[in-house]
Amino acid sequence: MTITLDDLRTLTPLQLDALREVANMGAGHAATALSQMTGGTIMISVPRLHVSRLADVPPQFLREEEPVAAVLLDMLGDLTGQTLLVFPKPTVMRMSELMLRRPAGSSVALGELERSAIKEAGNILSGAYLNALSDFMGMVLLPSPPKLVIDMAEAILTPECLGASFEAEYVFVVETEFYMHESSERLRGFFFLLPDPASLHAVLRAVRLA
């Protein structure tokens, strides 16, 4: 059975709320883990959820001419597909400073240490979202080791970036804002869940039963 855009558009407000609650739980776990890693208080806003065809990802999420850093993980286990955590360049530089406990403005380039820190942040955040989805679905989800891609936004959601096994046609986008309590800074990031066709069916079945 093929999933159509109408299948997604006919999700009721309560069903969409169930998906938002999954994202909210993931964000809460991620905020706790990031706070422990950085030694500061990081809060995450209630995430905004958008579901669309991959080819129609709204430009407010990925402006084509914008350089971004994306942490890519394969989703393994009972559900399969891929996840991407995408940071605009200003966010990724500041996030690397936070992870390395450096002062604001001290990082001017993404060297090996900074890249490692961003991969770890992506691993923590994506893992938190996948754990929340795993609890909701009652299924085992296992993330692969993270891969970091730095490129223009238009190149991120392509088979060249996502790999030859890439199958997803639809994407769940969770827009998240991080708030650093001590410095009153706000940073934006986007979590993309790209389930393969069979896993998309499973997610929709679980949501319709929620």
Side-chain angles (χ1 to χ4, degrees), residues 31-102:
T32 300
L34 279 178
S35 295
Q36 291 170 347
M37 287 288 294
T38 61
T41 303
I42 296 180
M43 294 177 283
I44 298 182
S45 64
V46 176
R48 290 182 286 277
L49 177 73
H50 187 90
V51 186
S52 77
R53 196 182 296 273
L54 188 59
D56 302 326
V57 171
Q60 68 262 32
F61 296 128
L62 286 179
R63 297 181 178 86
E64 291 185 354
E65 71 285 355
E66 183 177 34
V68 299
V71 181
L72 170 67
L73 291 87
D74 291 323
M75 184 169 62
L76 310 169
D78 294 331
L79 295 181
T80 52
Q82 290 166 309
T83 70
L84 276 172
L85 190 74
V86 180
F87 296 119
K89 187 176 180 181
T91 297
V92 80
M93 298 303 294
R94 187 67 185 108
M95 186 66 75
S96 70
E97 291 170 346
L98 289 167
M99 293 293 290
L100 295 169
R101 302 197 183 194
R102 293 175 176 170

Side-chain angles (χ1 to χ4, degrees), residues 95-163:
M95 186 66 75
S96 70
E97 291 170 346
L98 289 167
M99 293 293 290
L100 295 169
R101 302 197 183 194
R102 293 175 176 170
S106 61
S107 293
V108 294
L110 284 178
E112 186 175 340
L113 200 57
E114 289 82 3
R115 288 169 181 257
S116 179
I118 290 302
K119 282 201 287 188
E120 182 59 23
N123 204 27
I124 290 169
L125 289 162
S126 296
Y129 283 119
L130 287 181
N131 284 340
L133 183 61
S134 177
D135 290 344
F136 172 70
M137 299 285 294
M139 293 180 172
V140 175
L141 300 182
L142 302 170
S144 71
K147 180 178 82 171
L148 179 65
V149 178
I150 299 173
D151 209 328
M152 302 304 287
E154 62 187 345
I156 294 298
L157 296 177
T158 62
E160 290 75 18
C161 173
L162 297 170

Side-chain angles (χ1 to χ4, degrees), residues 20 23-31 42-49 129 174-180 185-189:
R20 288 191 190 95
N24 200 29
M25 289 173 59
H29 295 158
I42 296 180
M43 294 177 283
I44 298 182
S45 64
V46 176
R48 290 182 286 277
L49 177 73
Y129 283 119
V174 179
E175 182 180 2
T176 304
E177 188 175 68
F178 307 88
Y179 176 69
M180 272 63 71
E185 292 176 84
R186 295 182 185 275
L187 302 173
R188 291 172 73 223

